[in-house]
CSV table of all heavy atoms in Angstrom, one decimal:
chain,number,residue,atom,x,y,z
A,13,SER,N,98.8,111.7,124.7
A,13,SER,CA,99.2,112.9,124.0
A,13,SER,C,98.4,114.1,124.5
A,13,SER,O,97.2,114.0,124.9
A,13,SER,CB,99.0,112.7,122.5
A,13,SER,OG,97.7,112.5,122.2
A,14,ASN,N,99.0,115.3,124.4
A,14,ASN,CA,98.3,116.6,124.6
A,14,ASN,C,99.1,117.5,123.7
A,14,ASN,O,100.0,117.1,123.0
A,14,ASN,CB,98.3,117.0,126.0
A,14,ASN,CG,99.7,117.0,126.7
A,14,ASN,OD1,100.6,117.6,126.1
A,14,ASN,ND2,99.8,116.4,127.8
A,15,LYS,N,98.7,118.8,123.7
A,15,LYS,CA,99.4,119.7,122.8
A,15,LYS,C,100.9,119.9,123.0
A,15,LYS,O,101.6,120.2,122.1
A,15,LYS,CB,98.7,121.1,122.9
A,15,LYS,CG,97.3,121.2,122.4
A,15,LYS,CD,96.7,122.6,122.4
A,15,LYS,CE,95.3,122.6,121.8
A,15,LYS,NZ,94.8,123.9,121.8
A,16,ALA,N,101.3,119.6,124.2
A,16,ALA,CA,102.8,119.8,124.5
A,16,ALA,C,103.6,118.5,124.1
A,16,ALA,O,104.8,118.6,124.0
A,16,ALA,CB,103.0,120.0,126.0
A,17,THR,N,102.9,117.4,123.8
A,17,THR,CA,103.7,116.2,123.6
A,17,THR,C,103.5,115.7,122.2
A,17,THR,O,104.0,114.6,121.9
A,17,THR,CB,103.2,115.1,124.6
A,17,THR,OG1,101.8,114.9,124.4
A,17,THR,CG2,103.5,115.5,126.0
A,18,VAL,N,102.8,116.4,121.3
A,18,VAL,CA,102.7,115.9,119.9
A,18,VAL,C,103.1,117.0,119.0
A,18,VAL,O,103.2,118.2,119.3
A,18,VAL,CB,101.2,115.5,119.6
A,18,VAL,CG1,100.8,114.3,120.4
A,18,VAL,CG2,100.3,116.7,119.8
A,19,LEU,N,103.4,116.6,117.7
A,19,LEU,CA,103.9,117.6,116.7
A,19,LEU,C,102.8,118.3,116.1
A,19,LEU,O,101.6,117.9,116.1
A,19,LEU,CB,104.7,116.8,115.7
A,19,LEU,CG,105.9,116.0,116.1
A,19,LEU,CD1,106.5,115.3,114.9
A,19,LEU,CD2,106.9,116.8,116.9
A,20,THR,N,103.1,119.4,115.5
A,20,THR,CA,102.1,120.2,114.7
A,20,THR,C,101.9,119.4,113.4
A,20,THR,O,102.7,118.5,113.0
A,20,THR,CB,102.6,121.6,114.3
A,20,THR,OG1,103.7,121.5,113.5
A,20,THR,CG2,102.9,122.4,115.6
A,21,LEU,N,100.8,119.7,112.7
A,21,LEU,CA,100.5,119.0,111.4
A,21,LEU,C,101.6,119.2,110.4
A,21,LEU,O,102.0,118.4,109.7
A,21,LEU,CB,99.2,119.4,110.8
A,21,LEU,CG,97.9,118.9,111.5
A,21,LEU,CD1,96.7,119.5,110.8
A,21,LEU,CD2,97.9,117.4,111.5
A,22,ALA,N,102.2,120.5,110.4
A,22,ALA,CA,103.2,120.8,109.5
A,22,ALA,C,104.5,120.0,109.8
A,22,ALA,O,105.2,119.5,108.9
A,22,ALA,CB,103.6,122.3,109.6
A,23,GLU,N,104.8,119.8,111.1
A,23,GLU,CA,106.0,119.0,111.4
A,23,GLU,C,105.8,117.6,111.0
A,23,GLU,O,106.7,116.9,110.5
A,23,GLU,CB,106.2,119.1,112.9
A,23,GLU,CG,106.8,120.4,113.4
A,23,GLU,CD,106.9,120.5,114.9
A,23,GLU,OE1,105.9,120.3,115.6
A,23,GLU,OE2,108.0,120.8,115.4
A,24,LYS,N,104.6,117.1,111.2
A,24,LYS,CA,104.3,115.7,110.9
A,24,LYS,C,104.5,115.5,109.4
A,24,LYS,O,105.1,114.5,108.9
A,24,LYS,CB,102.8,115.3,111.2
A,24,LYS,CG,102.6,115.1,112.7
A,24,LYS,CD,101.2,114.7,113.0
A,24,LYS,CE,101.0,114.5,114.5
A,24,LYS,NZ,99.6,114.1,114.8
A,25,CYS,N,104.0,116.4,108.6
A,25,CYS,CA,104.1,116.4,107.1
A,25,CYS,C,105.6,116.4,106.7
A,25,CYS,O,106.0,115.6,105.8
A,25,CYS,CB,103.3,117.5,106.5
A,25,CYS,SG,101.5,117.3,106.6
A,26,LYS,N,106.3,117.3,107.3
A,26,LYS,CA,107.8,117.4,106.9
A,26,LYS,C,108.5,116.1,107.2
A,26,LYS,O,109.3,115.7,106.5
A,26,LYS,CB,108.4,118.6,107.7
A,26,LYS,CG,108.3,120.0,107.0
A,26,LYS,CD,109.2,120.0,105.7
A,26,LYS,CE,109.0,121.3,105.0
A,26,LYS,NZ,109.6,122.5,105.6
A,27,ASN,N,108.2,115.6,108.4
A,27,ASN,CA,108.9,114.3,108.8
A,27,ASN,C,108.5,113.2,107.9
A,27,ASN,O,109.4,112.4,107.5
A,27,ASN,CB,108.5,113.9,110.2
A,27,ASN,CG,109.2,114.8,111.3
A,27,ASN,OD1,110.2,115.5,110.9
A,27,ASN,ND2,108.8,114.7,112.5
A,28,ILE,N,107.3,113.1,107.5
A,28,ILE,CA,106.8,112.0,106.5
A,28,ILE,C,107.6,112.2,105.2
A,28,ILE,O,108.1,111.2,104.6
A,28,ILE,CB,105.3,112.1,106.3
A,28,ILE,CG1,104.6,111.6,107.6
A,28,ILE,CG2,104.9,111.2,105.1
A,28,ILE,CD1,103.1,111.8,107.5
A,29,LEU,N,107.7,113.4,104.7
A,29,LEU,CA,108.3,113.6,103.4
A,29,LEU,C,109.8,113.2,103.4
A,29,LEU,O,110.3,112.7,102.5
A,29,LEU,CB,108.2,115.1,103.0
A,29,LEU,CG,106.8,115.5,102.5
A,29,LEU,CD1,106.7,117.0,102.4
A,29,LEU,CD2,106.4,114.8,101.3
A,30,VAL,N,110.5,113.5,104.6
A,30,VAL,CA,111.9,113.2,104.7
A,30,VAL,C,112.1,111.7,105.0
A,30,VAL,O,113.1,111.1,104.6
A,30,VAL,CB,112.5,114.1,105.8
A,30,VAL,CG1,114.0,113.7,106.0
A,30,VAL,CG2,112.5,115.6,105.3
A,31,SER,N,111.1,111.1,105.7
A,31,SER,CA,111.3,109.7,106.1
A,31,SER,C,111.1,108.7,104.9
A,31,SER,O,111.6,107.6,105.0
A,31,SER,CB,110.3,109.3,107.2
A,31,SER,OG,109.0,109.3,106.7
A,32,ASN,N,110.5,109.1,103.9
A,32,ASN,CA,110.2,108.2,102.7
A,32,ASN,C,111.1,108.6,101.5
A,32,ASN,O,111.8,109.6,101.6
A,32,ASN,CB,108.7,108.2,102.4
A,32,ASN,CG,108.3,106.9,101.8
A,32,ASN,OD1,109.0,106.1,101.2
A,32,ASN,ND2,107.0,106.5,102.1
A,33,TRP,N,111.1,107.8,100.5
A,33,TRP,CA,111.8,108.1,99.3
A,33,TRP,C,111.0,107.8,98.0
A,33,TRP,O,111.5,107.9,96.9
A,33,TRP,CB,113.1,107.3,99.3
A,33,TRP,CG,112.9,105.8,99.6
A,33,TRP,CD1,112.5,104.9,98.6
A,33,TRP,CD2,112.9,105.2,100.8
A,33,TRP,NE1,112.3,103.7,99.3
A,33,TRP,CE2,112.6,103.8,100.6
A,33,TRP,CE3,113.3,105.6,102.1
A,33,TRP,CZ2,112.6,102.9,101.6
A,33,TRP,CZ3,113.3,104.7,103.1
A,33,TRP,CH2,112.9,103.3,102.9
A,34,GLN,N,109.8,107.4,98.2
A,34,GLN,CA,108.9,107.1,97.1
A,34,GLN,C,107.5,107.6,97.4
A,34,GLN,O,107.1,107.6,98.5
A,34,GLN,CB,108.9,105.6,96.7
A,34,GLN,CG,108.5,104.7,97.8
A,34,GLN,CD,108.7,103.2,97.5
A,34,GLN,OE1,109.2,102.9,96.5
A,34,GLN,NE2,108.2,102.4,98.4
A,35,GLY,N,106.8,108.0,96.3
A,35,GLY,CA,105.5,108.4,96.5
A,35,GLY,C,104.7,108.3,95.1
A,35,GLY,O,105.3,107.8,94.1
A,36,TYR,N,103.5,108.7,95.1
A,36,TYR,CA,102.7,108.6,93.9
A,36,TYR,C,102.5,110.0,93.3
A,36,TYR,O,101.9,110.9,93.9
A,36,TYR,CB,101.3,108.0,94.2
A,36,TYR,CG,101.4,106.5,94.5
A,36,TYR,CD1,101.6,106.0,95.8
A,36,TYR,CD2,101.4,105.6,93.4
A,36,TYR,CE1,101.8,104.7,96.1
A,36,TYR,CE2,101.6,104.2,93.7
A,36,TYR,CZ,101.7,103.8,95.0
A,36,TYR,OH,101.9,102.4,95.2
A,37,LEU,N,103.0,110.1,92.0
A,37,LEU,CA,102.8,111.4,91.3
A,37,LEU,C,101.6,111.3,90.4
A,37,LEU,O,101.4,110.3,89.7
A,37,LEU,CB,104.1,111.6,90.5
A,37,LEU,CG,104.1,112.9,89.6
A,37,LEU,CD1,104.0,114.2,90.4
A,37,LEU,CD2,105.4,112.9,88.7
A,38,ASN,N,100.8,112.3,90.4
A,38,ASN,CA,99.6,112.4,89.5
A,38,ASN,C,99.7,113.6,88.6
A,38,ASN,O,99.9,114.7,89.1
A,38,ASN,CB,98.4,112.5,90.4
A,38,ASN,CG,98.3,111.5,91.4
A,38,ASN,OD1,98.0,110.3,91.1
A,38,ASN,ND2,98.5,111.8,92.7
A,39,THR,N,99.6,113.4,87.3
A,39,THR,CA,99.6,114.5,86.4
A,39,THR,C,98.3,114.3,85.4
A,39,THR,O,97.8,113.2,85.4
A,39,THR,CB,100.8,114.6,85.5
A,39,THR,OG1,101.0,113.3,84.8
A,39,THR,CG2,102.0,114.9,86.3
A,40,ILE,N,98.0,115.4,84.8
A,40,ILE,CA,96.8,115.4,83.9
A,40,ILE,C,97.1,114.8,82.6
A,40,ILE,O,98.0,115.3,81.8
A,40,ILE,CB,96.2,116.8,83.8
A,40,ILE,CG1,95.8,117.4,85.1
A,40,ILE,CG2,95.0,116.8,82.8
A,40,ILE,CD1,95.5,118.9,85.1
A,41,LYS,N,96.5,113.7,82.2
A,41,LYS,CA,96.7,113.0,81.0
A,41,LYS,C,96.2,113.8,79.8
A,41,LYS,O,95.1,114.3,79.9
A,41,LYS,CB,96.1,111.6,81.0
A,41,LYS,CG,96.6,110.7,79.9
A,41,LYS,CD,95.8,109.4,79.9
A,41,LYS,CE,96.2,108.5,81.1
A,41,LYS,NZ,95.5,107.2,81.0
A,42,THR,N,96.9,113.8,78.7
A,42,THR,CA,96.4,114.5,77.5
A,42,THR,C,96.5,113.6,76.3
A,42,THR,O,97.3,112.7,76.3
A,42,THR,CB,97.3,115.8,77.2
A,42,THR,OG1,98.7,115.3,77.0
A,42,THR,CG2,97.2,116.8,78.3
A,43,ASP,N,95.6,113.8,75.4
A,43,ASP,CA,95.6,113.0,74.1
A,43,ASP,C,96.4,113.8,73.1
A,43,ASP,O,96.9,114.9,73.3
A,43,ASP,CB,94.2,112.6,73.7
A,43,ASP,CG,93.3,113.8,73.4
A,43,ASP,OD1,93.9,114.9,73.1
A,43,ASP,OD2,92.1,113.7,73.4
A,44,ALA,N,96.4,113.2,71.9
A,44,ALA,CA,97.2,113.8,70.8
A,44,ALA,C,96.6,115.2,70.4
A,44,ALA,O,97.4,116.1,69.9
A,44,ALA,CB,97.1,112.9,69.5
Side-chain angles (χ1 to χ4, degrees):
S13 64
N14 54 50
K15 288 185 179 180
T17 61
V18 295
L19 303 181
T20 65
L21 287 179
E23 287 176 306
K24 288 181 179 180
C25 290
K26 272 290 177 72
N27 284 347
I28 291 171
L29 289 171
V30 172
S31 67
N32 213 327
W33 50 83
Q34 59 188 4
Y36 287 93
L37 178 63
N38 308 288
T39 55
I40 300 170
K41 192 186 291 185
T42 58
D43 61 21

